[in-house]
Amino acid sequence: MIGDGAATPDSNVDGLSDADLVELYRQLVLLRTYDERSLVYHRQGRIGTYAIFWNHEAMQVGAVAALDDDDWIFPSYRESAIGLLRGMPAHTVLSWWRGHPSGWWNPADYNVASICVPIGTHVPHAAGLAWGKKLRGEPACAIAFFGDGATSEGSFHEGANFAGVLKAPLVLFCNNNQWAISTPLEAQTAAETLADKAVGYGMPGVRVDGGDVLAVHEATREAVARARAGEGPTFIEAVTYRVAPHATADDPSVYIDQERVEAERRRECVGRFEGYLQRRGLLPDELRDSIREGAAQTMRDAIARAEAEPDPDPALLFTPALAAPPRSFDHDLAELRRVLADK
Ligand SMILES: Cc1ncc(C[n+]2csc(CCOP(=O)(O)OP(=O)(O)O)c2C)c(N)n1
Ligand SMILES: [Mg+2]
């Protein structure tokens, strides 16, 4: 949908007003700023290990914009900040990466499930929630975000099969960034495309340019319409390329082709949409700058708020773990309190 300002023309998306397009841009910038600041906060020792999602923003924004607020989102760690698109405060997500209890929200407050770190285990959860919506006669659907590597996990196949058989109103959204840490796509699957996997579950599989927010939006909108019409799940393969390390603990220079990374960085998704809006005369420089400054201020406020949280009670490590804790817990907790007091 987004052209290149030269040989490839831009196209329109039905149903999106000029104001909607600018709102998509605001959301892209919010996520981009969240991501770039988080990398800095990590390097400053203010948040822990962090999974960078630079150049994944178009998939997250385009897909969520196709949902209603009653629809449920099941994110993986790669979509950790997706709740921001539903009004979740940025300090909540920063607190999650700080390992602070205030980083865990009630999923029903935003219809955003907890961030899933085990690969693919949220796919059956999303299928079950979607099936539940259907059984209750509610119009809502669910969307699960996961990576190319997740399509090799049992949970993915169980969830996809379950949703296909039960015609659950589910969107399976695969961000194919072509890497699962250091495992490249060709070592992940013998299938020609990941979208081909949908055939085995009796659902449509579509491929879309994951760097084109408008294309992602349209594909997700169609999948959501199918889900609401009782036609069951859809598998979306959004094709992109991971241009950042897997996470802050990774050094991709030992396995990745740096020239390819540089080429992909040059066509990153926020800049592509910025060009589209500028060609349409919808993004004067002052508006662009004020959107960027608004996002930067959101992050400054959010890190200050996250860091102002009082230290959590160390007993939280013990008390919710077991209904009948062993006696050694008392001793262990006392020891932990003593060590923390000495710091
Ligand atoms: C069940 C499980 N096995 C292994 C891991 C370790 N692990 C963390 S990220 C990752 C790669 C996932 O790649 P992909 O699904 O493509 O998602 P991406 O990180 O590229 O978004 C692995 C194997 C894990 N978190 N959970
Ligand atoms: Mg991947």
Side-chain angles (χ1 to χ4, degrees):
M1 312 288 306
I2 302 178
D4 59 6
T8 312
D10 294 322
S11 33
N12 289 326
V13 182
D14 291 342
L16 286 184
S17 67
D18 289 353
D20 292 335
L21 293 172
V22 173
E23 175 58 16
L24 287 180
Y25 179 71
R26 196 191 63 74
Q27 296 185 359
L28 286 170
V29 171
L30 180 61
L31 289 191
R32 172 62 55 88
T33 309
Y34 180 94
D35 186 72
E36 290 183 342
R37 293 310 301 161
S38 290
L39 191 55
V40 174
Y41 297 149
H42 168 75
R43 289 188 176 142
Q44 293 172 337
R46 300 165 83 178
I47 65 172
T49 301
Y50 172 68
I52 304 143
F53 57 76
W54 206 92
N55 203 31
H56 286 61
E57 297 90 342
M59 295 180 279
Q60 302 176 17
V61 167
V64 172
L67 305 175
D68 288 342
D69 285 349
D70 286 341
D71 298 329
W72 273 70
I73 300 171
F74 287 76
S76 82
Y77 52 84
R78 192 69 69 205
E79 294 81 26
S80 64
I82 207 162
L84 269 57
L85 306 178
R86 283 275 175 85
M88 186 185 294
H91 65 79
T92 300
V93 191
L94 287 171
S95 291
W96 191 88
W97 288 106
R98 285 167 63 77
H100 192 283
S102 62
W104 273 259
W105 60 88
N106 178 354
D109 287 349
Y110 304 98
N111 294 339
V112 177
S114 298
I115 299 165
C116 189
V117 178
I119 306 302
T121 56
H122 56 318
V123 177
H125 303 164
L129 187 131
W131 185 37
K133 291 288 179 192
K134 181 179 168 176
L135 289 175
R136 288 181 176 183
E138 296 175 16
C141 64
I143 185 167
F145 289 90
F146 51 89
D148 42 296
T151 65
S152 302
E153 286 285 338
S155 305
F156 162 75
H157 296 281
E158 289 156 19
N161 192 53
F162 190 83
V165 169
L166 296 166
K167 287 213 177 309
L170 177 68
V171 181
L172 293 164
F173 193 104
C174 178
N175 94 64
N176 177 5
N177 64 11
Q178 308 191 37
W179 292 94
I181 314 186
S182 56
T183 302
L185 187 66
E186 62 269 20
Q188 190 70 252
T189 180
E192 201 167 310
T193 75
L194 295 177
D196 288 347
K197 296 189 185 235
V199 178
Y201 302 109
M203 66 178 82
V206 295
R207 293 189 100 200
V208 68
D209 177 353
D212 182 334
V213 65
L214 300 178
V216 169
H217 180 66
E218 224 180 24
T220 313
R221 208 165 57 179
E222 283 167 16
V224 168
R226 278 178 42 78
R228 293 208 209 290
E231 293 167 23
T234 302
F235 180 93
I236 297 176
E237 175 188 0
V239 182
T240 182
Y241 194 82
R242 208 192 73 211
V243 296
H246 167 73
T248 48
D250 176 39
D251 174 11
S253 67
V254 296
Y255 61 82
I256 215 163
D257 170 4
Q258 202 49 41
E259 271 178 32
R260 171 85 193 264
V261 168
E262 292 309 324
E264 295 288 342
R265 284 187 84 90
R266 281 195 290 277
R267 50 192 301 277
E268 55 79 23
C269 64
V270 180
R272 279 175 71 189
F273 191 53
E274 212 167 273
Y276 177 90
L277 292 179
Q278 283 164 342
R279 289 191 290 278
R280 296 182 61 137
L282 294 176
L283 192 65
D285 290 355
E286 315 81 69
L287 177 61
R288 181 199 59 201
D289 294 347
S290 80
I291 288 173
R292 286 184 184 168
E293 178 45 34
Q297 189 59 46
T298 297
M299 292 309 296
R300 283 193 286 271
D301 295 344
I303 192 71
R305 174 91 186 260
E307 289 181 329
E309 287 287 345
D311 283 347
D313 182 351
L316 274 173
L317 283 174
F318 296 86
T319 41
L322 295 171
R327 278 216 306 276
S328 61
F329 268 26
D330 287 346
H331 171 267
D332 295 342
L333 177 57
E335 177 68 5
L336 180 60
R337 286 196 196 284
R338 192 187 61 71
V339 170
L340 290 173
D342 280 355
K343 279 190 125 188

